[in-house]
Amino acid sequence: MEKELIINSTPTEVEIALLEGKKLTELHKQKTNSKFSVGDIFLGKIRKLIPGLNAAFVDIGYDKDAFLHYTDLGPKLRSLIKFTAGSVSGNIPYSLNNFRFEPEIIKTGKIDQVLDKKQPILVQILKEPISTKGPRLSCEITIPGRYTVLTPFSNVVAVSKKISNPEERKRLHRLVESIRPKNFGVIVRTAAEAKGTAELHEEMMNLTNKWKQIHGQLHKSQPPTKLLSELDKTSSILRDILTDNFNKIIVNDKELYRNIKGYLSKIAPDMVKIVSYYSSNKNIFDNFGVTRQIKASFGKTATMPSGAYLVVEQTEAMYVIDVNSGQKISKHADQESNALSVNLESAKEIARQLRLRDIGGIIIIDFIDVKKQENKRLIHQKMKEYMKNDRAQHTILPLSKFGLMQITRQRVRPAIKIDTSETCPSCNGKGKVSPSLLLTEKLDRDLELILNNQSYSGKVRLEVHPYVYAYLKRGFPSPQMKWFMNYKKWIPISSDSNYQYMEYKFFNGMEDEIRF
């Protein structure tokens, strides 16, 4: 299946759309001023110990203290604390060749038995801040690469279960065992399949250098201090999902375009040729049909091509998805066959919706009732098949006797919520209509004000709704041409379907909005 990555960069955020077979399957957003992301490593300081929760609150420089539960400390906590203290004082080298492990902590222990208040501790962000909660932390440090993940204070080599060939699993295990540093464990990722010694060894050296960087920054550091940043959202997605099936990566920002090419030249030189720069004035998401798919896929109801639809509701404790047949009823099939057909189509769409909205936690799906056990097993089997490519950890239970399916899905960041409803284009929700006949007069008046103002003597661009765009381009001479004849200056016009009908904005040569 062909995969495309469409990247829309704006001054405030970067939006990344993953299309599989031209269908939107993942949508990621990252604010350009975001300070925290999953995978960042910090030297934090214990602020509070809460024995009742068996957890600690840690200061890592965030507005709210981060949460560290006992189960996320990891068995090698004492070794980590010893390394951290030794690195800060300068008494321990970065290499773990001669490092002596401390006894492991027990799974059923108490937080106040292993940690002290105000104690410095090396932590990694496990989950981004969600709602009113601060980040969730882990002391089981991992340093991810494209093919492998390095895990300090361990000697275990684990191969991804998605690599099914026994011979390939053995080969990778032997290969990685021969090149891994002493006292470092390694998780072999799916992308390592069929890769040679040189590629894996080069990445192992890069990951070891990152560990060396952490060690160097620990020296004389005072918490809270960020020691290692995860890659930006775009690069981390490329690292995690890039395969030979990718045929396009399209980006509308020159600097980001150069960064992506530079990053790919290091991890996958053969893929550099699939990156292209989008220079058109038309919104990149509009041009590749992403905006239309976002409008159709988000919201309370998601409709499928057959007419069947899903109703997605969020409660305090879980998500609930109801499957409805709509008008999809075959006159030539019985009720059981109709219900099975709708359920199978819905299972595929639900798998896409979970990835697209990044829904985590508990999900309850109310499928249409089927009576035959083989049909229930088929729905369960297909659901697992459709969610096979989902990178988030998940568990799918068979249908209960009430026709309900329970799914748990890993939640590392807030679910994506996009309001697809639009304000009335005539009244802006106020109930009073502004005459559309006067729109061109307002445009003329604003444009004259801009061009007569000395501070706006440079380039001026207009962005409008597609309907207004078509009107401004229509006729001979068109309104755009009349502006050129009146002001002796060509005013480029672009359209954005996210705009309301009467909404428009002027931009200067620096792509900053001109406000009045």
Side-chain angles (χ1 to χ4, degrees):
M1 182 184 293
E2 291 186 349
K3 295 183 180 180
E4 300 171 274
L5 213 59
I6 313 297
I7 304 169
N8 179 32
S9 178
T10 68
T12 57
E13 68 178 1
V14 176
E15 296 178 290
I16 305 161
L18 172 63
L19 276 64
E20 295 181 352
K22 301 294 182 182
K23 198 159 189 178
L24 182 65
T25 54
E26 290 185 25
L27 185 66
H28 301 268
K29 294 188 177 186
Q30 183 182 37
K31 298 289 184 183
T32 52
N33 61 353
S34 177
K35 297 191 297 181
F36 296 90
S37 63
V38 173
D40 286 355
I41 297 174
F42 289 82
L43 178 64
K45 182 169 69 175
I46 305 294
R47 183 70 66 86
K48 291 179 185 177
L49 294 173
I50 313 293
L53 295 175
N54 206 17
F57 286 98
V58 184
D59 178 16
I60 60 169
Y62 190 63
D63 297 338
K64 290 183 176 291
D65 289 339
F67 183 77
L68 176 63
H69 194 269
Y70 185 90
T71 55
D72 294 318
L73 295 177
K76 301 292 186 180
L77 176 69
R78 292 193 179 99
S79 297
L80 178 73
I81 292 173
K82 175 183 173 182
F83 176 84
T84 304
S87 299
V88 171
S89 63
N91 296 327
I92 290 182
Y94 82 92
S95 170
L96 300 181
N97 286 346
N98 300 315
F99 184 84
R100 186 173 178 179
F101 288 170
E102 294 297 307
E104 295 185 359
I105 64 172
I106 60 174
K107 291 183 179 180
T108 55
K110 299 296 180 183
I111 194 86
D112 52 359
Q113 296 172 349
V114 293
L115 293 178
D116 299 317
K117 192 176 178 182
K118 296 186 178 179
Q119 176 181 356
I121 188 166
L122 194 65
V123 291
Q124 187 168 28
I125 293 186
L126 194 63
K127 293 183 180 179
E128 289 181 4
I130 297 176
S131 185
T132 58
K133 301 175 183 177
R136 181 156 182 170
L137 304 177
S138 171
C139 287
E140 296 189 272
I141 306 299
T142 59
I143 306 175
R146 188 182 177 204
Y147 306 124
T148 56
V149 179
L150 199 63
T151 58
F153 314 111
S154 170
N155 284 297
V156 176
V157 175
V159 181
S160 168
K161 293 179 181 178
K162 291 184 179 179
I163 300 177
S164 55
N165 188 315
E167 293 302 318
E168 178 63 9
R169 292 177 64 85
K170 288 178 183 177
R171 184 190 74 87
L172 287 170
H173 193 282
R174 286 195 302 268
L175 194 161
V176 171
E177 187 67 60
S178 67
I179 62 174
R180 72 174 179 88
K182 187 179 178 182
N183 289 333
F184 283 90
V186 178
I187 300 169
V188 182
R189 308 181 78 164
T190 311
E193 190 168 11
K195 299 301 176 183
T197 307
E199 292 167 294
L200 296 180
H201 185 263
E202 182 181 0
E203 181 173 89
M204 195 68 62
M205 295 298 293
N206 291 336
L207 298 182
T208 307
N209 285 336
K210 286 186 179 181
W211 177 252
K212 185 177 180 181
Q213 177 187 335
I214 292 171
H215 173 269
Q217 289 189 297
L218 274 172
H219 185 50
K220 295 183 179 179
S221 288
Q222 292 294 322
T225 304
K226 182 186 281 191
L227 303 174
L228 185 71
S229 286
E230 172 63 297
L231 297 168
D232 61 81
K233 179 74 78 172
T234 309
S235 299
S236 64
I237 288 174
L238 287 174
R239 179 195 66 200
D240 293 343
I241 69 176
L242 190 66
T243 65
D244 294 337
N245 292 333
F246 268 83
N247 65 326
K248 282 182 187 175
I249 299 174
I250 305 167
V251 58
N252 66 344
D253 181 84
K254 281 188 177 179
E255 183 179 355
L256 191 54
Y257 166 72
R258 287 192 290 267
N259 291 344
I260 291 172
K261 290 193 75 170
Y263 179 67
L264 286 180
S265 65
K266 296 177 183 176
I267 68 163
D270 294 341
M271 307 292 280
V272 172
K273 61 181 181 294
I274 70 173
V275 185
S276 59
Y277 172 65
Y278 179 82
S279 58
S280 172
N281 285 332
K282 187 177 179 181
N283 183 285
I284 187 171
F285 274 11
D286 286 354
N287 191 55
F288 291 96
V290 176
T291 302
R292 181 186 59 78
Q293 292 198 55
I294 290 173
K295 295 282 187 183
S297 300
F298 285 86
K300 181 178 176 180
T301 304
T303 305
M304 290 166 277
S306 67
Y309 62 95
L310 308 173
V311 179
V312 183
E313 295 271 14
Q314 182 182 8
T315 70
E316 186 67 25
M318 66 186 75
Y319 280 84
V320 180
I321 302 176
D322 185 40
V323 176
N324 294 273
S325 62
Q327 300 299 316
K328 184 174 181 178
I329 300 174
S330 173
K331 296 178 181 178
H332 305 292
D334 57 25
Q335 183 178 349
E336 181 82 2
S337 300
N338 280 326
L340 179 62
S341 175
V342 172
N343 285 339
L344 292 179
E345 183 185 21
S346 300
K348 188 173 186 178
E349 179 62 18
I350 289 168
R352 185 179 80 100
Q353 287 286 334
L354 296 184
R355 288 177 66 189
L356 183 56
R357 302 185 190 216
D358 207 2
I359 292 174
I362 300 172
I363 303 114
I364 305 295
I365 306 167
D366 183 10
F367 283 105
I368 298 173
D369 286 341
V370 289
K371 300 187 183 301
K372 297 179 180 178
Q373 286 300 319
E374 59 264 32
N375 288 340
K376 290 184 178 182
R377 285 193 293 269
L378 180 61
I379 294 169
H380 181 230
Q381 176 190 331
K382 287 292 183 181
M383 195 75 213
K384 290 198 291 185
E385 181 183 319
Y386 295 142
M387 290 191 68
K388 186 173 61 175
N389 294 327
D390 194 333
R391 290 179 290 130
Q393 294 180 13
H394 56 270
T395 303
I396 306 169
L397 297 183
L399 268 74
S400 70
K401 64 179 180 180
F402 299 116
L404 302 177
M405 178 179 285
Q406 298 177 60
I407 297 176
T408 58
R409 187 175 183 273
Q410 181 187 21
R411 175 166 54 194
V412 295
R413 58 184 62 86
I416 296 176
K417 294 180 181 177
I418 298 177
D419 186 5
T420 56
S421 60
E422 296 183 355
T423 306
C424 172
S426 299
C427 69
N428 284 329
K430 297 175 182 177
K432 294 188 178 180
V433 177
S434 175
S436 58
L437 187 65
L438 302 181
L439 177 62
T440 52
E441 290 186 17
K442 287 176 66 180
L443 287 169
D444 287 337
R445 187 170 60 248
D446 288 350
L447 185 58
E448 184 177 5
L449 180 65
I450 292 169
L451 296 178
N452 289 336
N453 189 326
Q454 292 300 317
S455 62
Y456 297 130
S457 58
K459 293 181 179 179
V460 177
R461 181 175 69 83
L462 173 64
E463 200 162 79
V464 295
H465 187 277
Y467 288 167
V468 179
Y469 173 85
Y471 172 78
L472 295 175
K473 292 279 192 178
R474 181 172 173 259
F476 186 82
S478 66
Q480 185 183 31
M481 294 175 68
K482 288 179 183 177
W483 291 338
F484 177 71
M485 290 185 283
N486 288 341
Y487 303 113
K488 306 298 185 231
K489 191 180 187 75
W490 184 254
I491 309 298
I493 305 173
S494 58
S495 66
D496 189 333
S497 59
N498 286 315
Y499 279 30
Q500 297 168 22
Y501 178 55
M502 302 285 281
E503 184 182 5
Y504 62 88
K505 291 178 183 178
F506 286 99
F507 296 88
N508 60 21
M510 301 295 292
E511 287 301 310
D512 294 324
E513 184 182 350
I514 301 173
R515 298 180 182 274
F516 298 94

